[in-house]
Amino acid sequence: MLRAVRSTWLAVAMAITMAFVATTPAQAGGLAQADSLSAEQRQVRDAFVDSYQSTSVGQSFDVTNADGRELTFVKTTEGVRVSKDTADSSTTQTMAADFCLAAAQAAVYAIGAAVFAGVAASGGTIAVAGVVIGPSVAGMFSAALAGGGGLSALIAQYIC
Amino acid sequence: MNVVVILGWLELALGVGALSWMVWHARNGRSPAQQRGFRPLMAVIAVISVLFVITLVI
């Protein structure tokens, strides 16, 4: 599956490259070959060309085909390079993007703070790893987790 | 409902929502930190968390 998708993208990329290269009459054969693409491939090629022309060097742009598969390109002084391929987003082979740990910590701490606050407010107890925690300790845990969550969120602003 | 309860529910909703949002973006190959709403979301979590700590301690 992955190989087939990559082959399709490779064919499209080769055709696009040939279309770019064929700028002189002597190389018109390249354009003719590019025009032998299927309707979907031509659509992808046109989307690529439009995005490429409207993007400045250093900026990225996405090209998506009819199946929702997406490639992210970065325009460079030499041409383009592929920075991300989500061709397998519909399968288990999904490519996960950079995940900021501080941001995830902020969210998890916020959940924990709310849960412990709920325990403290209800006056009940909660057992964590076999240790029974009463309402007063749960309140302290809640405050600590909320503080940690706030701090992680602030850190995420700067490092993510 | 008092302030602590409201802030607690807000904290829970923000935590679950932010985590789901980040995981969803990451699984789709996009970096959550590069999304437009990331910094405002972190700022809201920070503010709500600080308010929550203050109301819990007072």
Side-chain angles (χ1 to χ4, degrees):
Chain A
M1 172 70 181
L2 179 63
R3 189 167 296 174
V5 170
R6 287 196 187 280
S7 299
T8 304
W9 277 111
L10 186 62
V12 172
M14 286 174 67
I16 290 166
T17 306
M18 292 183 77
F20 271 112
V21 168
T23 53
T24 63
Q27 294 169 315
L31 277 176
Q33 186 157 349
D35 286 335
S36 67
L37 296 171
S38 69
E40 185 186 339
Q41 287 171 330
R42 275 199 299 275
Q43 195 176 359
V44 174
R45 179 196 62 189
D46 294 343
F48 177 91
V49 173
D50 289 344
S51 301
Y52 180 86
Q53 289 172 344
S54 61
T55 305
S56 54
V57 173
Q59 300 292 309
S60 64
F61 60 93
D62 298 330
V63 178
T64 308
N65 71 359
D67 298 333
R69 292 171 181 142
E70 191 175 87
L71 276 181
T72 301
F73 296 93
V74 176
K75 188 172 182 178
T76 65
T77 51
E78 293 84 21
V80 292
R81 67 176 172 83
V82 178
S83 66
K84 201 163 286 177
D85 182 356
T86 58
D88 301 308
S89 60
S90 61
T91 71
T92 54
Q93 296 175 335
T94 301
M95 179 184 288
D98 299 335
F99 201 80
C100 184
L101 185 61
Q105 275 180 338
V108 171
Y109 285 177
I111 296 169
V115 169
F116 276 110
V119 172
S122 68
T125 59
I126 184 171
V128 179
V131 178
V132 178
I133 296 171
S136 59
V137 178
M140 284 186 261
F141 272 8
S142 179
L145 283 171
L151 194 60
S152 293
L154 284 175
I155 291 169
Q157 293 273 355
Y158 293 99
I159 67 167
C160 295
Chain B
M1 288 202 292
N2 61 26
V3 180
V4 179
V5 175
I6 293 170
L7 286 173
W9 279 113
L10 259 176
E11 190 88 340
L12 185 64
L14 275 171
V16 173
L19 201 58
S20 308
W21 180 82
M22 286 187 281
V23 168
W24 178 70
H25 275 301
R27 279 192 59 80
N28 283 290
R30 297 183 294 266
S31 176
Q34 303 300 320
Q35 304 305 311
R36 193 178 294 171
F38 178 77
R39 291 185 187 284
L41 182 64
M42 286 298 116
V44 168
I45 289 177
V47 170
I48 297 296
S49 296
V50 169
L51 290 175
F52 195 41
V53 172
I54 292 170
T55 53
L56 282 171
V57 171
I58 290 175

